[in-house]
């Protein structure tokens, strides 16, 4: 399978008077994995929703595999998405959710059901979505994102709400799938969270992309071996330059 890429140019979005994305310019290259880090409210989820066509930007363009996403929905089949907050009909059972989604994508020959098994969701088929804990709901969302073996995976704060064992299971899954030339975009407000999962880091603050480079060069440049410390060091330097 050919790997996919996302190109974002001059993307801006406001909600009323609030400028949530300010002229975002970034390429997510095929087969690379990107950590998108930024404080709460910095615009990560909005940027992700723009890529998915769930939020329409005021300005700018998004291309997936060279083609503008405006007026063409088929690209969505190439993206596996784990939302920050998964919303499901309360009355539906876990098993019914998976059956329904499988039915919608009958064209897809290869299914990746690893996470369903590893999270033991196959033993909870009859539980209703409305009765699940936040963590179990996240496990359903993660399993759905990987189910169709998509070339692009976008995970919005995937570790939030998961217990430590589930976090490790998901990280192992990401690492094993990463070797298959997938393009990953994974957001988090916790800097240390995505260390070792990603080769690149984009840093968002108040809707602006302040940093976009490889994690290796970030660490080298700052002399810090921990991602969180390296980002903090860059941010302090930016602040000093702005004050100077
Ligand atoms: P992050 O995911 O980085 O925490 P979000 O993209 O969710 O940030 O939100 C960025 C800002 O946009 C926040 O101030 C949030 O309150 C605001 N926002 C997000 N979605 C909406 C919306 N649908 N209507 C109004 N404001 C919104
Ligand atoms: Mg968010």
């Amino acid at each position: 399978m050919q790997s996919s890429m996302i190109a974002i140019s001059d993307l801006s979005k406001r909600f009323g008077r609030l400028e949530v994305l300010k002229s975002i310019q970034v390429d997510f290259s095929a087969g690379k994995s990107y950590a998108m880090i930024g404080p709460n409210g910095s615009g990560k989820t909005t940027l992700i929703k723009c890529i998915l066509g769930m939020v329409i930007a005021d300005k700018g363009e998004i291309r997936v595999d060279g083609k503008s996403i405006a007026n063409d929905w088929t690209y969505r089949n190439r993206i596996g998405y784990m939302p920050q907050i998964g919303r499901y009909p309360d009355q539906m059972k876990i098993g019914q959710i998976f059956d329904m989604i499988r039915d919608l994508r009958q064209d897809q020959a290869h299914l990746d059901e690893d996470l369903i098994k590893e999270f033991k969701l196959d033993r909870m088929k009859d539980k209703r979505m409305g009765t699940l804990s936040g963590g179990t709901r996240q496990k359903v969302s993660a399993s759905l994102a990987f189910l169709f073996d998509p070339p692009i995976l976008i995970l919005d704060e995937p570790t939030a709400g998961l217990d430590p064992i589930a976090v490790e299971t998901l990280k192992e899954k990401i690492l094993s799938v990463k070797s298959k030339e997938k393009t990953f975009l994974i957001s988090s407000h916790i800097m240390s969270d995505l260390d070792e999962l990603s080769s690149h880091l984009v840093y968002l603050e108040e809707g602006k992309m302040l940093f976009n480079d490889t994690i290796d060069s970030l660490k080298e440049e700052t002399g810090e071996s921990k991602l969180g410390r390296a980002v903090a060091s860059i941010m302090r330097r930016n602040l000093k330059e702005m004050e100077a």
Side-chain angles (χ1 to χ4, degrees):
M1 189 192 299
Q2 213 191 329
S3 46
S4 293
M5 67 95 68
I6 304 167
I8 298 177
S9 61
D10 197 22
L11 200 79
S12 296
K13 175 69 186 175
R14 48 168 74 232
F15 288 116
R17 286 167 54 197
L18 187 68
E19 268 189 282
V20 180
L21 297 175
K22 301 170 185 165
S23 216
I24 301 286
Q25 189 82 29
V26 64
D27 284 355
F28 299 116
S29 304
K32 303 251 159 61
S33 75
Y34 293 81
M36 177 159 63
I37 309 278
N40 288 321
S42 54
K44 302 181 296 297
T45 296
T46 304
L47 180 60
I48 286 172
K49 286 187 173 174
C50 285
I51 297 170
L52 293 159
M54 296 161 71
V55 165
I56 306 300
D58 303 321
K59 202 168 142 258
E61 191 182 45
I62 300 176
R63 290 176 165 267
V64 174
D65 295 332
K67 218 169 149 206
S68 170
I69 64 168
N71 313 317
D72 178 12
W73 283 89
T74 54
Y75 79 100
R76 279 291 307 270
N77 288 345
R78 298 200 294 281
I79 303 180
Y81 168 50
M82 177 180 174
Q84 184 169 3
I85 301 166
R87 296 188 196 281
Y88 304 95
D90 280 348
Q91 290 307 314
M92 276 184 93
K93 296 173 179 172
I94 292 184
Q96 291 175 321
I97 294 276
F98 284 109
D99 289 345
M100 182 184 75
I101 304 287
R102 277 190 208 103
D103 282 349
L104 289 174
R105 290 284 301 275
Q106 283 177 351
D107 56 307
Q108 190 74 18
H110 179 248
L111 293 181
D112 179 347
E113 301 189 324
D114 287 356
L115 280 182
I116 298 177
K117 295 193 190 82
E118 276 161 43
F119 288 145
K120 300 190 171 57
L121 294 173
D122 48 345
R123 298 189 206 163
M124 302 169 61
K125 277 197 177 79
D126 291 324
K127 286 216 174 181
R128 293 191 192 275
M129 294 306 295
T131 67
L132 301 183
S133 69
T136 305
R137 213 175 266 258
Q138 285 296 84
K139 290 177 186 173
V140 171
S141 296
S143 304
L144 287 172
F146 284 85
L147 187 61
F148 297 108
D149 198 19
I152 302 175
L153 279 137
I154 300 181
L155 315 178
D156 194 1
E157 306 259 2
T159 61
L162 287 181
D163 62 74
I165 298 171
V167 168
E168 284 316 306
T169 302
L170 182 60
K171 282 187 171 177
E172 279 163 24
K173 182 66 186 167
I174 292 170
L175 288 172
S176 80
V177 163
K178 230 176 77 174
S179 57
K180 296 201 287 182
E181 288 291 293
K182 308 262 187 198
T183 309
F184 270 95
L185 176 58
I186 312 174
S187 81
S188 180
H189 64 283
I190 305 161
M191 293 198 198
S192 57
D193 219 26
L194 306 179
D195 218 347
E196 288 154 20
L197 288 184
S198 311
S199 50
H200 290 65
L201 180 115
V202 294
Y203 186 86
L204 218 59
E205 202 171 277
E206 292 179 13
K208 269 194 261 180
M209 197 151 278
L210 296 183
F211 184 85
N212 172 9
D213 206 343
T214 66
I215 289 179
D216 282 346
S217 65
L218 171 69
K219 288 178 175 173
E220 196 176 321
E221 218 181 299
T222 56
E224 299 281 2
S225 60
K226 289 229 164 67
L227 183 58
R229 297 174 71 102
V231 172
S233 160
I234 292 275
M235 290 307 117
R236 275 197 293 273
R237 200 173 66 194
N238 281 355
L239 215 58
K240 271 195 199 130
E241 279 166 11
M242 270 157 53
E243 283 165 357

